[in-house]
Amino acid sequence: MSGNMVTPAVLDCGHAPTPLGSATSGIGTPGFAKKAGTGDTMCYSCADEHERAVMRTSRCVVAYLSGDGSTITTWTGGTLATVDPADRRQHGQRQYTPSGGSWTRHVWHATDPHGGRWYGVNDGPGMAVRLRRVRA
């Protein structure tokens, strides 16, 4: 949020902006989210619900892997999916680039609240992850 931006008292979702340090905000900052395309404003709880609803029809989503590797979350910390127990304590696999660089590759499998199965690859816990729906 820029310094000249005015925070509305009531958002388009009908709630007040999420307060600083609230239990529903994992990021520790007050504010609100905006829907892409429409610009509608919503509190972090409603934004998390919106992201879970989007997952019902999406084939690919970008989210975050929690620091302990147990859940896939929104940027505010709302749970989107649960990581399979077998993937939670993986050490990753060293990968090499054509130019000689290297990185550690982690593969994740998760289940969303609707029973949808997802997989993704990233650098490890606490990092962003692009998830793709697993075909049945």
Side-chain angles (χ1 to χ4, degrees):
M1 241 189 282
S2 67
N4 60 359
M5 202 169 169
V6 176
T7 302
V10 177
L11 305 171
D12 294 327
C13 68
H15 301 115
T18 304
L20 178 64
S22 89
T24 60
S25 168
I27 60 172
T29 59
F32 56 93
K34 284 189 174 186
K35 273 189 191 176
T38 66
D40 290 346
T41 57
M42 59 190 124
C43 65
Y44 293 156
S45 293
C46 289
D48 292 346
E49 281 302 318
H50 172 72
E51 290 300 310
R52 283 188 279 277
V54 165
M55 286 183 78
R56 283 182 170 254
T57 58
S58 295
R59 291 176 44 205
C60 181
V61 296
V62 176
Y64 298 89
L65 181 64
S66 63
D68 64 2
S70 65
T71 56
I72 304 294
T73 70
T74 63
W75 68 273
T76 61
T79 299
L80 294 176
T82 303
V83 174
D84 291 356
D87 291 348
R88 292 181 187 171
R89 290 192 171 83
Q90 66 176 299
H91 296 288
Q93 182 179 13
R94 178 66 67 195
Q95 299 289 303
Y96 296 93
T97 65
S99 62
S102 66
W103 66 292
T104 302
R105 178 179 190 260
H106 296 260
V107 178
W108 306 99
H109 298 86
T111 304
D112 67 29
H114 311 108
R117 298 282 297 144
W118 299 84
Y119 76 94
V121 176
N122 78 347
D123 293 345
M127 304 297 290
V129 59
R130 180 182 306 272
L131 296 171
R132 297 185 189 284
R133 186 177 293 279
V134 174
R135 295 183 188 181

